[in-house]
Amino acid sequence: MLNDKVELAFRNVEEVVTREELENIINSGSGVGYYGTAPTGPFHIGYLVPLGKVSDLVRAGVKMKILLADIHAYMDDRKTDWGMLKVRTEYYFRCISLLLKDVDIEYCVGSDFQFQREYFEKLYRISALITVSRAQRAASMVTRMREPKVSELIYPIMQAIDCDALKVNIALGGIDQRHIYMLTREYFPLLGLNPVTCIFTPLIPSLRGPDVKMSASIPESNIQVYEPEESIRKKVLRAYCPMKEVKSSGLQYTNPIVAIASLALIPMLGSLRIERDPSKGGDIVYNDAGLLERDYVEGKIHPLDLKNSVANALIDFLKPVRDYFKTRHDLILEAYPEEVKKGLVPLP
Amino acid sequence: MLNDKVELAFRNVEEVVTREELENIINSGSGVGYYGTAPTGPFHIGYLVPLGKVSDLVRAGVKMKILLADIHAYMDDRKTDWGMLKVRTEYYFRCISLLLKDVDIEYCVGSDFQFQREYFEKLYRISALITVSRAQRAASMVTRMREPKVSELIYPIMQAIDCDALKVNIALGGIDQRHIYMLTREYFPLLGLNPVTCIFTPLIPSLRGPDVKMSASIPESNIQVYEPEESIRKKVLRAYCPMKEVKSSGLQYTNPIVAIASLALIPMLGSLRIERDPSKGGDIVYNDAGLLERDYVEGKIHPLDLKNSVANALIDFLKPVRDYFKTRHDLILEAYPEEVKKGLVPLP
């Protein structure tokens, strides 16, 4: 039987491996989890989904850590150059801690423990247990590279060792991390480590619709967490938001605005007010994403009302991040000099 | 123009990359070199070839280090289990230091520096520069595996970092290491490291002839450095030793007894006495392998005279190792319990 905490832990997830393990952990109150993120590209609202889940898990009684996986950002085909790791780690830390400012979190940085002797011993030892082809299968989903680097095969091995080094029994990640964590679960018995229960969150589709990928190089596809008010409003109002449509038959969100409401705003804010003209029935407050989605599919919420409400809520929710970065243009400029120059990263 | 030191450095080598670099190093007296060996299988006389070269290089004015590459022994498809690394490293150290007892050598152990932060930083950084397929090409010669492990792709990267950590400008290895060191030379410019000049020694063919590989699992194919006297004599007398034949057209040694004389005994002892009946011309002392090989090809040395002389010289040269291990059966038993049980490793 589900209780409130278990319900919180399970809501809005795409997959849990395994559901039984997670239920036991939540019920026993023994949960220690982590969400790891590699400081690569600029920080956009897609991150609100796992961060919302972090917040759910804390409320469900899990002690949560956030790993700023700096070395991983380099190992992932040098998405972040070695010399940029420090400043981007600082930037990610600021973004996350401003978004989770009322949540009790322990922050960890990869390079603080990924140079330790015990860590390397495990890295050496596991690397001799796993074949190149097996590691490549895990890496392929993450890297989508035809010609992966050796570092991209070390990458999933590090993810396994991280779980052990951080002493967690829950790992949280986007569903794009599934392959890598399945490999991680495979390793643990080989090394006598405890298995880690995995929670995968869905991904928010591009604002331009399901055929465009959400990408830092397509500014209209995403919203940065310190984006100026008017830019947020404009992007939301221009976004793809088909009437009565929420998900594809594969249960993937196809409507980015509904996804933002369901996966980011309701979990982070607790509820979302849909502002409607009194003639259309007036405002409704949803604290359950399922109800909002049901009403949207039934045509009870008009796309324009949803867009206006989501834009207002986002503008409001992101205010602390925007305010902070108004005084820290230097940090954005140092972390993404090229991207700012090309107009891919707005300055608030 | 070659001088004595340059001649010493170049003799009995299969290949030098590049010859010009080595000549400059020897002439300038700036040589610091290393021979790395991973403590895997039992120590046989095949090792006398690189150790003879170590001794040549020291006499040519090069400061030589010997790396007991313990982590490599594990990373090479776990040829040595993690728990066995220490005892096999001790065993290799004993074998080598007894064979090179009058040579001024610095001994290093891989795990003494392969857990250091600077080492790992280089490992992380280089691994992101090299593709899996490129590393696999380097590994394939060494591992001959259809399904290599991730560790086998890290292996050649470590070899590059070792050269830097040991601060050497010369790397010495068997010709079977060629692919791996070519990759290593490729890495150095990418990291702003100085290139390392490579010297590759030939391999002694199996005592059973060119169609059998010299292998620990075929006792008649090799001679252990602490093999009992009578066993050495028996193996040499039974060995493949075709009349007048030294090398194949590819310049690979096909005659293992000539190879032992040329590549191991003359370099290690300075000379080899061929004992002959006065009626056949009496004893001749060779201090130049080229002259011995020429005389053998011309039929001036009979295979049986060569075998008897090589057996006696080997028995004599290996006496200190044999004597030491007569009192250290424990070390052999601890390092190779299975091999001793199967009769693959003799106790002196």
Side-chain angles (χ1 to χ4, degrees):
Chain A
M1 222 180 66
L2 294 184
N3 58 36
D4 286 357
K5 288 191 166 182
V6 171
E7 235 171 289
L8 259 175
F10 277 93
R11 75 171 176 180
N12 285 328
V13 303
E14 176 118 0
E15 189 178 354
V16 174
V17 183
T18 68
R19 300 184 70 86
E20 196 190 342
E21 288 171 15
L22 183 60
E23 212 173 311
N24 289 340
I25 290 172
I26 300 296
N27 280 326
S28 68
S30 61
V32 184
Y34 92 111
Y35 167 64
T37 180
T40 52
F43 210 86
H44 55 69
I45 59 167
Y47 287 100
L48 296 178
V49 183
L51 295 183
K53 196 74 230 157
V54 166
S55 156
D56 281 349
L57 288 167
V58 170
R59 278 182 289 159
V62 178
K63 186 175 158 33
M64 284 297 291
K65 306 181 186 192
I66 286 185
L67 171 62
L68 299 159
D70 52 351
I71 307 287
H72 277 85
Y74 174 84
M75 299 293 272
D76 186 4
D77 200 28
R78 286 183 290 151
K79 281 188 186 143
T80 295
D81 274 344
W82 197 266
M84 291 287 259
L85 291 177
K86 208 169 167 178
V87 64
R88 289 195 179 168
T89 300
E90 158 80 1
Y91 161 94
Y92 265 57
F93 169 71
R94 289 297 165 192
C95 292
I96 295 170
S97 58
L98 288 161
L99 291 166
L100 290 179
K101 64 184 183 317
D102 300 322
V103 186
D104 183 25
I105 296 289
E106 182 187 327
Y107 290 90
C108 314
V109 177
S111 56
D112 283 352
F113 62 87
Q114 287 165 349
F115 284 114
Q116 283 172 1
R117 190 187 171 95
E118 315 86 79
Y119 193 88
F120 263 115
E121 181 167 330
K122 291 198 178 76
L123 196 154
Y124 283 140
R125 295 185 72 167
I126 307 181
S127 73
L129 298 175
I130 178 163
T131 62
V132 170
S133 54
R134 179 68 192 88
Q136 229 156 353
R137 261 192 295 143
S140 62
M141 281 292 282
V142 176
T143 63
R144 294 186 189 90
M145 300 267 304
R146 279 165 201 283
E147 263 277 64
K149 305 296 196 304
V150 174
S151 62
E152 293 172 77
L153 305 192
I154 300 176
Y155 190 107
I157 294 176
M158 293 177 70
Q159 216 140 320
I161 307 171
D162 289 345
C163 297
D164 179 62
L166 294 170
K167 301 194 191 314
V168 297
N169 52 15
I170 298 173
L172 167 66
I175 189 69
D176 53 344
Q177 299 283 304
R178 190 184 191 284
H179 275 58
I180 219 160
Y181 275 113
M182 288 305 97
L183 184 77
T184 294
R185 277 180 66 98
E186 234 177 279
Y187 289 154
F188 278 78
L190 299 177
L191 280 182
L193 303 175
N194 293 321
V196 168
T197 299
C198 300
I199 303 176
F200 301 114
T201 55
L203 307 177
I204 293 182
S206 162
L207 296 181
R208 305 308 302 265
D211 298 331
V212 183
K213 119 181 188 221
M214 190 184 274
S215 157
S217 53
I218 310 169
E220 308 78 29
S221 74
N222 69 66
I223 294 173
Q224 311 275 309
V225 289
Y226 38 73
E227 186 114 4
E229 280 186 52
E230 277 322 296
S231 177
I232 297 181
R233 192 175 307 279
K234 208 193 295 178
K235 285 184 177 179
V236 171
L237 289 174
R238 280 186 187 166
Y240 177 79
C241 184
M243 173 105 63
K244 297 186 183 181
E245 185 185 322
V246 171
K247 290 175 182 173
S248 67
S249 56
L251 295 180
Q252 299 277 347
Y253 282 89
T254 48
N255 187 321
I257 303 302
V258 175
I260 293 168
S262 289
L263 302 177
L265 293 172
I266 294 179
M268 294 297 261
L269 300 170
S271 65
L272 178 66
R273 172 181 297 270
I274 302 295
E275 299 151 34
R276 289 194 304 188
D277 197 86
S279 69
K280 303 266 167 61
D283 293 2
I284 321 179
V285 174
Y286 291 95
N287 51 25
D288 181 322
L291 295 178
L292 178 141
E293 291 178 15
R294 191 199 61 194
D295 285 359
Y296 189 82
V297 167
E298 289 177 0
K300 292 183 186 161
I301 304 173
H302 188 276
L304 187 62
D305 290 333
L306 180 69
K307 282 180 166 182
N308 278 317
S309 307
V310 163
N312 288 336
L314 268 182
I315 287 168
D316 195 49
F317 176 67
L318 297 175
K319 185 171 189 301
V321 196
R322 212 161 47 236
D323 285 349
Y324 176 81
F325 279 102
K326 272 181 188 158
T327 67
R328 290 300 308 274
H329 282 191
D330 63 304
L331 185 51
I332 301 175
L333 282 165
E334 226 190 304
Y336 300 99
E338 290 306 313
E339 290 80 354
V340 172
K341 209 180 290 171
K342 288 183 194 152
L344 300 172
V345 170
L347 294 175
Chain B
M1 219 177 71
L2 293 184
N3 58 35
D4 286 358
K5 289 191 166 180
V6 170
E7 235 171 290
L8 260 174
F10 277 93
R11 76 171 178 179
N12 284 328
V13 302
E14 176 116 0
E15 189 178 354
V16 174
V17 180
T18 66
R19 299 184 72 86
E20 195 190 342
E21 288 171 15
L22 184 58
E23 212 174 310
N24 288 340
I25 290 172
I26 299 297
N27 281 327
S28 69
S30 62
V32 185
Y34 92 111
Y35 167 65
T37 180
T40 53
F43 209 87
H44 55 69
I45 58 165
Y47 287 100
L48 295 179
V49 183
L51 296 184
K53 197 74 230 156
V54 166
S55 156
D56 281 348
L57 287 168
V58 170
R59 277 182 287 158
V62 178
K63 187 176 159 32
M64 284 297 291
K65 306 181 184 191
I66 285 185
L67 171 63
L68 299 159
D70 52 351
I71 307 287
H72 277 86
Y74 174 84
M75 299 294 272
D76 186 5
D77 201 28
R78 287 183 289 151
K79 281 190 186 142
T80 295
D81 274 344
W82 197 267
M84 291 287 258
L85 291 178
K86 209 170 164 174
V87 64
R88 289 195 179 167
T89 299
E90 156 81 2
Y91 161 93
Y92 266 57
F93 169 71
R94 288 297 166 195
C95 292
I96 295 171
S97 58
L98 288 160
L99 290 167
L100 290 180
K101 61 184 184 320
D102 300 322
V103 186
D104 182 25
I105 296 288
E106 183 188 329
Y107 290 91
C108 314
V109 177
S111 56
D112 283 351
F113 61 88
Q114 288 165 348
F115 284 115
Q116 284 172 0
R117 189 187 173 96
E118 315 85 79
Y119 193 87
F120 262 115
E121 181 167 328
K122 291 200 178 75
L123 196 154
Y124 282 140
R125 296 184 73 166
I126 307 182
S127 73
L129 298 176
I130 178 164
T131 62
V132 169
S133 54
R134 180 67 191 89
Q136 229 156 353
R137 260 192 295 145
S140 62
M141 281 291 281
V142 174
T143 64
R144 295 186 188 88
M145 302 265 305
R146 278 166 201 281
E147 263 279 61
K149 304 296 195 306
V150 175
S151 61
E152 294 172 76
L153 305 192
I154 300 176
Y155 190 106
I157 294 177
M158 293 177 70
Q159 215 139 320
I161 307 172
D162 289 346
C163 297
D164 179 62
L166 294 171
K167 302 194 191 311
V168 296
N169 52 14
I170 298 172
L172 167 67
I175 189 69
D176 52 345
Q177 299 283 305
R178 189 185 192 283
H179 275 59
I180 219 160
Y181 275 113
M182 288 304 99
L183 184 76
T184 293
R185 277 180 66 98
E186 234 177 279
Y187 289 155
F188 278 77
L190 299 177
L191 280 181
L193 304 175
N194 292 322
V196 168
T197 300
C198 301
I199 303 176
F200 301 113
T201 56
L203 306 176
I204 292 181
S206 162
L207 296 181
R208 304 309 301 266
D211 298 332
V212 183
K213 111 179 191 222
M214 190 184 276
S215 158
S217 54
I218 310 168
E220 308 78 27
S221 74
N222 68 67
I223 294 172
Q224 311 276 309
V225 289
Y226 38 72
E227 187 115 3
E229 280 186 51
E230 276 323 297
S231 178
I232 297 180
R233 192 176 306 281
K234 207 193 296 174
K235 283 183 178 181
V236 171
L237 290 174
R238 279 185 188 166
Y240 177 79
C241 185
M243 174 104 63
K244 297 187 183 179
E245 185 185 323
V246 171
K247 290 176 181 173
S248 67
S249 56
L251 295 180
Q252 299 279 346
Y253 282 88
T254 48
N255 187 321
I257 303 304
V258 174
I260 293 169
S262 289
L263 301 177
L265 293 172
I266 294 178
M268 294 298 260
L269 300 170
S271 65
L272 177 67
R273 172 181 297 270
I274 302 295
E275 301 150 33
R276 290 195 304 190
D277 198 85
S279 70
K280 302 268 168 58
D283 293 0
I284 322 181
V285 175
Y286 291 95
N287 50 25
D288 180 321
L291 295 178
L292 179 141
E293 290 178 16
R294 192 199 61 193
D295 284 359
Y296 189 81
V297 168
E298 289 178 0
K300 292 184 184 160
I301 305 173
H302 188 274
L304 188 62
D305 290 333
L306 180 70
K307 283 179 166 183
N308 277 319
S309 307
V310 163
N312 289 336
L314 267 182
I315 286 168
D316 194 49
F317 178 66
L318 296 175
K319 186 171 188 300
V321 196
R322 209 160 51 236
D323 285 349
Y324 176 82
F325 279 102
K326 271 180 187 157
T327 67
R328 289 302 306 275
H329 282 191
D330 63 303
L331 186 52
I332 300 175
L333 283 164
E334 227 189 303
Y336 300 99
E338 290 306 314
E339 289 80 353
V340 172
K341 209 180 290 170
K342 287 183 195 152
L344 300 173
V345 170
L347 293 176

